[in-house]
Coordinates of all heavy atoms in Angstrom, one line a residue:
M10 N 72.7 108.8 50.2 CA 73.0 110.2 50.1 C 71.8 111.0 50.6 O 70.7 110.7 50.3 CB 73.3 110.5 48.6 CG 73.7 111.9 48.4 SD 74.9 112.0 47.1 CE 74.8 113.7 46.7
I11 N 72.1 112.0 51.4 CA 71.1 112.9 51.9 C 70.8 114.0 51.0 O 71.7 114.7 50.4 CB 71.6 113.5 53.3 CG1 72.0 112.3 54.3 CG2 70.7 114.5 53.8 CD1 72.7 112.8 55.5
P12 N 69.5 114.2 50.7 CA 69.1 115.3 49.8 C 69.6 116.7 50.3 O 69.5 117.0 51.4 CB 67.6 115.3 49.8 CG 67.2 114.0 50.3 CD 68.4 113.5 51.2
G13 N 70.2 117.4 49.3 CA 70.8 118.8 49.7 C 72.3 118.8 49.6 O 72.8 119.9 49.4
F14 N 72.9 117.6 49.8 CA 74.4 117.6 49.8 C 74.8 117.5 48.3 O 74.1 117.0 47.5 CB 75.0 116.4 50.4 CG 75.2 116.5 51.9 CD1 74.1 116.3 52.8 CD2 76.4 116.9 52.4 CE1 74.3 116.4 54.1 CE2 76.6 117.0 53.8 CZ 75.6 116.8 54.6
D15 N 75.9 118.2 47.9 CA 76.4 118.2 46.6 C 77.4 117.0 46.4 O 77.7 116.7 45.2 CB 77.1 119.5 46.2 CG 76.1 120.7 46.3 OD1 74.9 120.5 45.8 OD2 76.5 121.7 47.0
Y16 N 77.9 116.5 47.4 CA 78.9 115.4 47.4 C 78.5 114.3 48.3 O 77.7 114.6 49.3 CB 80.3 116.0 47.8 CG 80.7 117.2 47.0 CD1 80.4 118.4 47.5 CD2 81.3 117.1 45.8 CE1 80.8 119.6 46.8 CE2 81.6 118.2 45.0 CZ 81.4 119.4 45.6 OH 81.7 120.5 44.8
P17 N 78.9 113.1 48.1 CA 78.5 112.0 49.0 C 79.0 112.3 50.4 O 80.0 112.8 50.7 CB 79.2 110.8 48.4 CG 79.6 111.2 47.0 CD 79.7 112.7 47.0
V18 N 78.2 111.8 51.4 CA 78.6 111.9 52.8 C 79.6 110.8 53.1 O 79.4 109.6 52.8 CB 77.3 111.7 53.6 CG1 77.7 111.7 55.1 CG2 76.3 112.7 53.4
Q19 N 80.7 111.2 53.7 CA 81.8 110.3 53.9 C 82.0 110.0 55.4 O 82.5 109.0 55.8 CB 83.1 110.8 53.3 CG 83.0 111.0 51.8 CD 82.9 109.6 51.1 OE1 83.5 108.6 51.5 NE2 82.1 109.6 50.1
R20 N 81.7 111.0 56.3 CA 81.9 110.9 57.7 C 80.7 111.4 58.4 O 79.9 112.3 58.0 CB 83.1 111.8 58.2 CG 84.4 111.6 57.5 CD 85.1 110.4 58.1 NE 86.4 110.2 57.6 CZ 86.7 109.4 56.6 NH1 85.8 108.6 56.1 NH2 88.0 109.3 56.2
E21 N 80.4 110.7 59.5 CA 79.3 111.0 60.4 C 79.8 111.2 61.8 O 80.6 110.4 62.3 CB 78.2 110.0 60.3 CG 76.9 110.3 61.0 CD 75.8 109.3 60.8 OE1 76.0 108.5 59.9 OE2 74.8 109.4 61.5
I22 N 79.3 112.2 62.5 CA 79.7 112.5 63.9 C 78.4 112.2 64.7 O 77.4 112.8 64.6 CB 80.2 113.8 64.1 CG1 81.5 114.1 63.3 CG2 80.5 114.1 65.6 CD1 81.9 115.6 63.2
F23 N 78.6 111.3 65.7 CA 77.4 111.0 66.5 C 77.5 111.9 67.8 O 78.5 112.3 68.2 CB 77.5 109.5 67.0 CG 77.3 108.5 65.9 CD1 78.4 107.9 65.3 CD2 76.0 108.3 65.4 CE1 78.2 107.1 64.2 CE2 75.8 107.4 64.4 CZ 76.9 106.7 63.8
N24 N 76.4 112.3 68.3 CA 76.2 113.2 69.4 C 76.7 114.6 69.2 O 76.9 115.4 70.1 CB 77.0 112.6 70.6 CG 76.4 111.2 71.1 OD1 75.2 111.0 71.0 ND2 77.3 110.3 71.5
G25 N 76.9 115.0 67.9 CA 77.1 116.3 67.6 C 78.5 116.9 67.9 O 79.3 116.3 68.5
V26 N 78.6 118.2 67.5 CA 79.8 119.0 67.8 C 79.3 120.3 68.3 O 78.8 121.1 67.6 CB 80.6 119.2 66.5 CG1 81.8 120.1 66.7 CG2 81.1 117.9 65.9
E27 N 79.4 120.4 69.6 CA 78.8 121.6 70.3 C 79.8 122.4 71.2 O 79.8 123.5 71.3 CB 77.6 121.2 71.2 CG 76.5 120.6 70.3 CD 75.4 120.1 71.2 OE1 75.5 120.1 72.5 OE2 74.3 119.8 70.6
K28 N 80.7 121.6 71.8 CA 81.7 122.2 72.7 C 82.8 122.8 71.9 O 83.2 122.4 70.8 CB 82.2 121.2 73.7 CG 81.1 120.6 74.6 CD 81.6 119.5 75.4 CE 80.5 119.0 76.3 NZ 80.5 117.6 76.5
E29 N 83.5 123.8 72.5 CA 84.5 124.6 71.9 C 85.6 123.6 71.4 O 86.2 123.8 70.3 CB 85.0 125.7 72.7 CG 85.9 126.7 72.0 CD 86.2 127.9 72.8 OE1 85.3 128.3 73.6 OE2 87.3 128.5 72.6
W30 N 86.1 122.7 72.2 CA 87.2 121.8 71.9 C 86.8 120.9 70.8 O 87.6 120.6 69.9 CB 87.7 121.0 73.1 CG 86.7 120.0 73.7 CD1 85.8 120.2 74.7 CD2 86.6 118.7 73.3 NE1 85.1 119.0 74.9 CE2 85.6 118.1 74.1 CE3 87.2 117.9 72.3 CZ2 85.2 116.7 73.9 CZ3 86.9 116.5 72.2 CH2 85.9 116.0 73.0
E31 N 85.5 120.5 70.7 CA 85.1 119.7 69.6 C 85.1 120.4 68.3 O 85.4 119.9 67.2 CB 83.6 119.2 69.8 CG 83.5 118.2 71.0 CD 82.1 118.0 71.4 OE1 81.2 118.9 71.4 OE2 81.8 116.8 71.7
L32 N 84.7 121.7 68.3 CA 84.8 122.6 67.1 C 86.3 122.7 66.6 O 86.5 122.7 65.5 CB 84.2 123.9 67.4 CG 82.6 123.9 67.6 CD1 82.2 125.3 68.2 CD2 82.0 123.6 66.3
R33 N 87.2 123.0 67.6 CA 88.6 123.1 67.2 C 89.1 121.8 66.6 O 89.8 121.8 65.6 CB 89.4 123.4 68.5 CG 89.3 124.9 68.9 CD 90.4 125.2 70.0 NE 90.4 124.3 71.1 CZ 89.8 124.5 72.2 NH1 89.0 125.6 72.4 NH2 89.9 123.6 73.2
E34 N 88.7 120.6 67.1 CA 89.1 119.4 66.6 C 88.5 119.2 65.2 O 89.2 118.6 64.3 CB 88.7 118.2 67.5 CG 89.6 118.1 68.7 CD 89.4 116.8 69.4 OE1 88.7 115.9 68.9 OE2 89.9 116.7 70.6
L35 N 87.2 119.6 64.9 CA 86.6 119.5 63.6 C 87.3 120.3 62.6 O 87.7 119.9 61.5 CB 85.2 119.8 63.7 CG 84.4 119.8 62.3 CD1 84.5 118.4 61.7 CD2 83.0 120.3 62.5
L36 N 87.7 121.6 63.0 CA 88.4 122.4 62.1 C 89.8 121.9 61.8 O 90.2 121.9 60.6 CB 88.5 123.9 62.7 CG 89.3 124.9 61.9 CD1 88.6 125.0 60.5 CD2 89.3 126.2 62.5
Q37 N 90.5 121.4 62.8 CA 91.8 120.8 62.6 C 91.7 119.6 61.6 O 92.5 119.4 60.8 CB 92.5 120.4 63.9 CG 93.9 120.0 63.7 CD 94.8 121.1 63.1 OE1 94.7 122.2 63.6 NE2 95.5 120.7 62.1
Y38 N 90.6 118.8 61.8 CA 90.4 117.6 61.0 C 90.2 118.0 59.5 O 90.8 117.5 58.6 CB 89.2 116.8 61.5 CG 88.8 115.7 60.5 CD1 89.4 114.4 60.6 CD2 87.8 115.8 59.6 CE1 89.1 113.4 59.7 CE2 87.4 114.8 58.7 CZ 88.1 113.6 58.8 OH 87.7 112.6 58.0
I39 N 89.4 119.1 59.3 CA 89.2 119.6 58.0 C 90.5 120.1 57.4 O 90.8 119.8 56.2 CB 88.1 120.7 58.0 CG1 86.8 120.1 58.4 CG2 88.0 121.4 56.7 CD1 85.7 121.1 58.7
R40 N 91.3 120.8 58.2 CA 92.6 121.4 57.6 C 93.5 120.2 57.3 O 94.2 120.2 56.3 CB 93.2 122.3 58.6 CG 92.4 123.6 58.7 CD 93.1 124.6 59.6 NE 92.4 125.9 59.6 CZ 92.3 126.7 60.5 NH1 92.8 126.5 61.7 NH2 91.7 127.9 60.3
N41 N 93.6 119.2 58.2 CA 94.4 118.1 57.9 C 94.0 117.3 56.7 O 94.8 116.8 55.8 CB 94.5 117.1 59.1 CG 95.2 117.7 60.3 OD1 95.9 118.7 60.2 ND2 95.0 117.1 61.4
Y42 N 92.7 117.1 56.5 CA 92.1 116.3 55.4 C 92.3 117.0 54.1 O 92.6 116.4 53.1 CB 90.6 116.1 55.7 CG 90.0 115.3 54.6 CD1 90.1 113.9 54.7 CD2 89.2 115.8 53.6 CE1 89.5 113.0 53.7 CE2 88.6 115.0 52.6 CZ 88.8 113.6 52.7 OH 88.1 112.8 51.8
T43 N 92.3 118.4 54.1 CA 92.4 119.1 52.9 C 93.9 119.5 52.5 O 94.2 120.0 51.5 CB 91.6 120.4 52.9 OG1 92.0 121.2 53.9 CG2 90.1 120.1 53.0
A44 N 94.8 119.3 53.5 CA 96.2 119.8 53.3 C 96.8 119.2 52.0 O 97.5 120.0 51.4 CB 97.0 119.4 54.6
P45 N 96.7 118.0 51.6 CA 97.3 117.5 50.4 C 96.8 118.1 49.1 O 97.3 117.9 48.0 CB 97.2 116.0 50.4 CG 96.4 115.6 51.6 CD 96.0 116.9 52.3
H46 N 95.7 118.8 49.2 CA 95.0 119.2 48.0 C 95.1 120.8 47.8 O 94.9 121.5 48.8 CB 93.5 118.8 48.0 CG 93.2 117.4 48.4 ND1 93.5 116.4 47.4 CD2 92.9 116.8 49.5 CE1 93.2 115.2 48.0 NE2 92.8 115.5 49.3
K47 N 95.3 121.3 46.6 CA 95.4 122.7 46.3 C 94.0 123.2 46.3 O 93.7 124.3 46.7 CB 96.1 123.0 45.0 CG 97.6 122.7 45.1 CD 98.3 123.1 43.8 CE 99.8 122.8 44.0 NZ 100.5 123.2 42.8
V48 N 93.1 122.4 45.7 CA 91.6 122.9 45.5 C 90.7 121.7 45.9 O 91.0 120.6 45.4 CB 91.3 123.3 44.1 CG1 89.8 123.6 43.9 CG2 92.2 124.5 43.7
C49 N 89.8 121.9 46.8 CA 88.9 120.9 47.2 C 87.8 121.5 48.0 O 87.8 122.7 48.3 CB 89.6 119.8 48.1 SG 90.2 120.4 49.6
T50 N 86.7 120.7 48.2 CA 85.5 121.1 48.9 C 85.1 120.1 49.9 O 85.2 118.9 49.7 CB 84.4 121.3 47.9 OG1 84.8 122.2 46.8 CG2 83.1 121.8 48.5
V51 N 84.7 120.6 51.1 CA 84.2 119.9 52.2 C 82.8 120.4 52.5 O 82.7 121.6 52.6 CB 85.2 120.0 53.4 CG1 84.6 119.2 54.6 CG2 86.5 119.4 53.1
Q52 N 81.9 119.5 52.9 CA 80.6 120.0 53.3 C 80.3 119.5 54.7 O 80.5 118.3 55.0 CB 79.5 119.6 52.3 CG 79.6 120.3 51.0 CD 78.4 119.9 50.1 OE1 78.1 118.8 49.8 NE2 77.7 121.0 49.6
V53 N 79.8 120.3 55.5 CA 79.5 120.0 56.9 C 78.0 120.4 57.2 O 77.6 121.5 56.8 CB 80.4 120.8 57.9 CG1 80.0 120.4 59.3 CG2 81.8 120.5 57.7
A54 N 77.3 119.5 57.8 CA 75.9 119.8 58.1 C 75.5 119.4 59.5 O 76.1 118.6 60.1 CB 75.0 119.2 57.1
H55 N 74.5 120.1 60.0 CA 73.9 119.8 61.3 C 72.6 119.2 61.1 O 71.6 119.9 60.8 CB 73.8 121.0 62.2 CG 73.3 120.8 63.6 ND1 73.2 121.7 64.5 CD2 72.7 119.7 64.1 CE1 72.7 121.2 65.6 NE2 72.3 120.0 65.4
L56 N 72.5 117.9 61.2 CA 71.3 117.2 60.9 C 71.0 116.2 62.0 O 71.9 115.6 62.6 CB 71.3 116.4 59.6 CG 71.6 117.2 58.3 CD1 71.9 116.2 57.2 CD2 70.4 118.0 58.0
L57 N 69.7 116.0 62.3 CA 69.3 115.0 63.3 C 68.6 113.9 62.6 O 67.8 114.1 61.7 CB 68.4 115.6 64.4 CG 68.9 116.7 65.2 CD1 67.9 117.3 66.2 CD2 70.1 116.2 66.1
N58 N 68.9 112.7 62.9 CA 68.3 111.5 62.4 C 67.2 111.0 63.3 O 67.5 110.3 64.2 CB 69.3 110.4 62.0 CG 68.7 109.3 61.2 OD1 67.6 109.4 60.8 ND2 69.5 108.3 61.0
S59 N 66.0 111.5 63.1 CA 64.9 111.1 64.0 C 63.6 111.0 63.2 O 63.5 111.4 62.1 CB 64.7 112.1 65.2 OG 64.2 113.3 64.7
D60 N 62.6 110.4 63.8 CA 61.3 110.3 63.2 C 60.5 111.6 63.1 O 59.6 111.8 62.3 CB 60.4 109.3 63.9 CG 61.0 107.9 63.8 OD1 61.7 107.6 62.8 OD2 60.7 107.1 64.7
Q61 N 60.9 112.6 64.0 CA 60.2 113.9 64.1 C 60.7 114.9 63.1 O 60.0 115.9 62.8 CB 60.2 114.4 65.5 CG 59.4 113.7 66.5 CD 60.1 112.5 67.1 OE1 61.3 112.4 67.1 NE2 59.4 111.4 67.5
V62 N 62.0 114.8 62.7 CA 62.6 115.8 61.9 C 63.0 115.2 60.6 O 63.7 114.1 60.5 CB 63.9 116.4 62.6 CG1 64.6 117.4 61.7 CG2 63.5 116.9 63.9
A63 N 62.6 115.9 59.4 CA 63.1 115.3 58.1 C 64.6 115.5 58.0 O 65.2 116.5 58.4 CB 62.4 116.2 57.1
L64 N 65.2 114.4 57.5 CA 66.6 114.5 57.3 C 66.9 115.1 55.9 O 67.2 114.5 54.9 CB 67.2 113.0 57.3 CG 68.7 112.8 57.4 CD1 69.2 113.4 58.7 CD2 69.0 111.4 57.3
R65 N 66.9 116.5 55.9 CA 67.2 117.2 54.7 C 67.8 118.5 55.0 O 67.7 119.1 56.1 CB 66.0 117.4 53.9 CG 64.9 118.2 54.5 CD 63.6 118.3 53.6 NE 62.6 119.0 54.3 CZ 62.5 120.3 54.2 NH1 63.3 121.1 53.5 NH2 61.5 120.9 54.9
I66 N 68.5 119.1 54.1 CA 69.1 120.4 54.2 C 68.0 121.5 54.0 O 67.3 121.5 53.0 CB 70.2 120.6 53.2 CG1 71.3 119.5 53.3 CG2 70.9 122.0 53.3 CD1 71.9 119.4 54.7
Q67 N 68.0 122.5 54.9 CA 67.0 123.6 54.8 C 67.7 124.9 54.3 O 67.0 125.7 53.8 CB 66.4 123.8 56.1 CG 65.6 122.5 56.5 CD 65.1 122.6 57.9 OE1 65.3 123.6 58.6 NE2 64.6 121.5 58.4
K68 N 69.0 125.1 54.7 CA 69.7 126.3 54.3 C 71.2 126.0 54.0 O 71.8 125.1 54.7 CB 69.6 127.3 55.5 CG 70.3 128.6 55.2 CD 70.1 129.6 56.4 CE 70.9 130.9 56.0 NZ 71.0 131.8 57.1
K69 N 71.7 126.6 53.0 CA 73.1 126.4 52.6 C 73.9 127.7 52.7 O 73.4 128.8 52.5 CB 73.2 125.9 51.1 CG 72.6 124.6 50.9 CD 72.9 124.2 49.5 CE 72.3 122.7 49.2 NZ 72.7 122.3 47.9
S70 N 75.2 127.6 53.1 CA 76.1 128.8 53.1 C 77.5 128.2 52.7 O 77.7 127.0 52.7 CB 76.1 129.4 54.5 OG 76.5 128.5 55.5
T71 N 78.3 129.2 52.3 CA 79.7 128.9 51.8 C 80.7 129.7 52.5 O 80.5 130.9 52.7 CB 79.7 129.1 50.3 OG1 78.7 128.3 49.7 CG2 81.0 128.7 49.7
L72 N 81.9 129.1 52.7 CA 83.0 129.8 53.3 C 84.3 129.3 52.5 O 84.3 128.1 52.2 CB 83.2 129.6 54.7 CG 82.5 130.5 55.8 CD1 82.8 130.0 57.2 CD2 83.0 131.9 55.6
Q73 N 85.3 130.2 52.5 CA 86.6 129.7 52.0 C 87.3 129.3 53.2 O 87.2 129.9 54.3 CB 87.4 130.9 51.3 CG 86.7 131.5 50.2 CD 86.5 130.6 49.0 OE1 87.5 129.8 48.7 NE2 85.4 130.5 48.3
L74 N 88.1 128.1 53.1 CA 88.8 127.6 54.2 C 89.8 128.7 54.8 O 89.8 128.8 56.1 CB 89.7 126.4 53.8 CG 90.4 125.7 55.0 CD1 89.5 125.2 56.1 CD2 91.1 124.5 54.4
H75 N 90.4 129.5 54.1 CA 91.4 130.5 54.6 C 90.6 131.6 55.4 O 91.2 132.4 56.1 CB 92.3 131.0 53.5 CG 91.6 131.8 52.5 ND1 91.0 131.3 51.4 CD2 91.3 133.2 52.4 CE1 90.5 132.2 50.6 NE2 90.7 133.4 51.3
E76 N 89.3 131.7 55.2 CA 88.5 132.7 55.9 C 88.1 132.3 57.2 O 87.6 133.1 58.0 CB 87.2 133.1 55.0 CG 87.5 133.8 53.7 CD 86.3 134.0 52.9 OE1 85.2 133.3 53.2 OE2 86.3 134.8 52.0
I77 N 88.2 131.0 57.6 CA 87.8 130.5 58.9 C 89.0 130.8 59.9 O 90.0 130.2 59.8 CB 87.5 129.0 58.8 CG1 86.4 128.7 57.8 CG2 87.1 128.5 60.3 CD1 86.1 127.3 57.6
V78 N 88.7 131.8 60.7 CA 89.7 132.2 61.7 C 89.4 131.8 63.1 O 90.2 131.8 64.0 CB 89.9 133.8 61.7 CG1 90.5 134.2 60.3 CG2 88.6 134.5 61.9
D79 N 88.2 131.3 63.3 CA 87.7 130.9 64.6 C 86.9 129.6 64.4 O 85.9 129.6 63.5 CB 86.9 132.0 65.3 CG 86.5 131.6 66.7 OD1 86.6 130.5 67.1 OD2 86.0 132.5 67.4
S80 N 87.1 128.6 65.2 CA 86.4 127.4 65.0 C 84.8 127.5 65.3 O 84.0 126.7 64.8 CB 86.9 126.3 65.9 OG 86.9 126.7 67.3
K81 N 84.5 128.6 65.9 CA 83.1 128.8 66.2 C 82.3 129.2 64.9 O 81.1 129.1 64.9 CB 82.9 130.0 67.2 CG 83.4 129.5 68.6 CD 83.2 130.7 69.6 CE 83.8 130.3 70.9 NZ 83.7 131.3 71.9
Q82 N 83.0 129.5 63.9 CA 82.4 129.7 62.6 C 81.8 128.4 62.0 O 80.9 128.5 61.1 CB 83.4 130.3 61.5 CG 83.8 131.7 61.9 CD 84.9 132.2 60.9 OE1 86.0 132.1 61.2 NE2 84.4 132.7 59.8
L83 N 82.1 127.3 62.6 CA 81.5 126.0 62.2 C 80.3 125.6 62.9 O 79.7 124.6 62.6 CB 82.6 124.9 62.4 CG 83.9 125.0 61.6 CD1 84.8 123.9 62.0 CD2 83.7 125.1 60.1
I84 N 79.8 126.4 63.8 CA 78.6 126.2 64.5 C 77.4 126.4 63.5 O 77.3 127.4 62.9 CB 78.4 127.2 65.8 CG1 79.4 126.9 66.8 CG2 77.0 127.0 66.3 CD1 79.4 127.8 68.0
L85 N 76.6 125.4 63.4 CA 75.5 125.4 62.5 C 74.2 125.1 63.2 O 74.1 124.3 64.2 CB 75.7 124.3 61.4 CG 76.9 124.4 60.6 CD1 77.1 123.2 59.7 CD2 76.9 125.7 59.8
Q86 N 73.1 125.8 62.8 CA 71.8 125.5 63.2 C 71.3 124.2 62.6 O 71.8 123.8 61.6 CB 70.8 126.6 62.9 CG 71.2 128.0 63.5 CD 71.2 127.9 65.0 OE1 70.3 127.3 65.6 NE2 72.1 128.5 65.6
E87 N 70.4 123.5 63.2 CA 69.8 122.3 62.7 C 69.3 122.5 61.3 O 68.6 123.5 61.0 CB 68.7 121.8 63.6 CG 68.2 120.4 63.2 CD 67.1 119.9 64.1 OE1 67.2 120.2 65.3 OE2 66.2 119.3 63.6
G88 N 69.6 121.7 60.3 CA 69.2 121.7 59.0 C 70.1 122.6 58.1 O 69.8 122.7 56.9
H89 N 71.2 123.2 58.6 CA 72.1 124.0 57.9 C 73.2 123.2 57.3 O 73.7 122.4 58.0 CB 72.5 125.2 58.7 CG 71.4 126.2 59.0 ND1 71.7 127.5 59.3 CD2 70.1 126.1 59.0 CE1 70.6 128.2 59.4 NE2 69.6 127.3 59.4
L90 N 73.7 123.6 56.1 CA 74.8 123.0 55.5 C 75.8 124.0 55.1 O 75.5 125.1 54.6 CB 74.4 122.3 54.1 CG 75.5 121.8 53.2 CD1 75.8 120.4 53.6 CD2 75.2 121.9 51.8
L91 N 77.1 123.8 55.5 CA 78.2 124.7 55.2 C 79.1 124.0 54.2 O 79.6 123.0 54.5 CB 78.9 125.1 56.5 CG 80.2 125.9 56.3 CD1 79.9 127.3 55.8 CD2 80.9 126.1 57.7
T92 N 79.3 124.7 53.1 CA 80.3 124.3 52.1 C 81.6 125.1 52.3 O 81.6 126.3 52.3 CB 79.7 124.4 50.7 OG1 78.5 123.7 50.5 CG2 80.8 124.0 49.6
I93 N 82.7 124.3 52.5 CA 84.0 124.9 52.7 C 84.8 124.7 51.5 O 85.1 123.5 51.2 CB 84.6 124.4 54.0 CG1 83.7 124.6 55.2 CG2 86.0 125.0 54.3 CD1 84.1 123.9 56.5
N94 N 85.2 125.7 50.9 CA 86.1 125.6 49.7 C 87.5 125.9 50.0 O 87.8 127.0 50.6 CB 85.6 126.5 48.6 CG 84.3 126.1 48.1 OD1 84.0 125.0 47.7 ND2 83.4 127.1 48.0
K95 N 88.4 125.1 49.6 CA 89.9 125.4 49.7 C 90.4 125.8 48.3 O 90.2 125.0 47.4 CB 90.7 124.2 50.2 CG 92.1 124.5 50.3 CD 92.9 123.4 50.9 CE 94.4 123.7 50.9 NZ 95.3 122.6 51.2
V96 N 90.9 126.9 48.2 CA 91.4 127.4 46.9 C 92.8 128.1 47.2 O 93.1 128.4 48.3 CB 90.4 128.5 46.3 CG1 89.1 127.9 45.9 CG2 90.2 129.7 47.3
P97 N 93.5 128.2 46.1 CA 94.9 128.8 46.3 C 94.7 130.3 46.7 O 93.8 130.9 46.2 CB 95.5 128.7 44.9 CG 94.8 127.6 44.2 CD 93.4 127.7 44.8
I98 N 95.6 130.7 47.6 CA 95.6 132.1 48.0 C 96.7 132.8 47.3 O 97.9 132.4 47.4 CB 95.7 132.3 49.5 CG1 94.6 131.5 50.2 CG2 95.7 133.7 49.9 CD1 94.8 131.4 51.7
F99 N 96.5 133.9 46.6 CA 97.5 134.7 45.9 C 97.9 135.9 46.6 O 97.1 136.5 47.2 CB 97.1 134.9 44.5 CG 96.9 133.7 43.7 CD1 95.5 133.2 43.4 CD2 97.9 132.9 43.3 CE1 95.3 132.1 42.7 CE2 97.7 131.8 42.5 CZ 96.4 131.4 42.2

């Protein structure tokens, strides 16, 4: 488990997510993964695993899944963690 995450890491993406189509696919993956749940949380971080950079979270932010209208909202700076909460919309 990486320090700074609130939940265990389940998926890892090699070579990052930088291109617009990769961001769209990541958002679609998150939506598909959370679809069966009324309430759930997903955490996404931009971390590099190297000897020069500590593998830890430096900044945290939170968004509601229904507030994500553009996949570019998933762009994170190195060391940033985004917590995405899915909650019922009334």
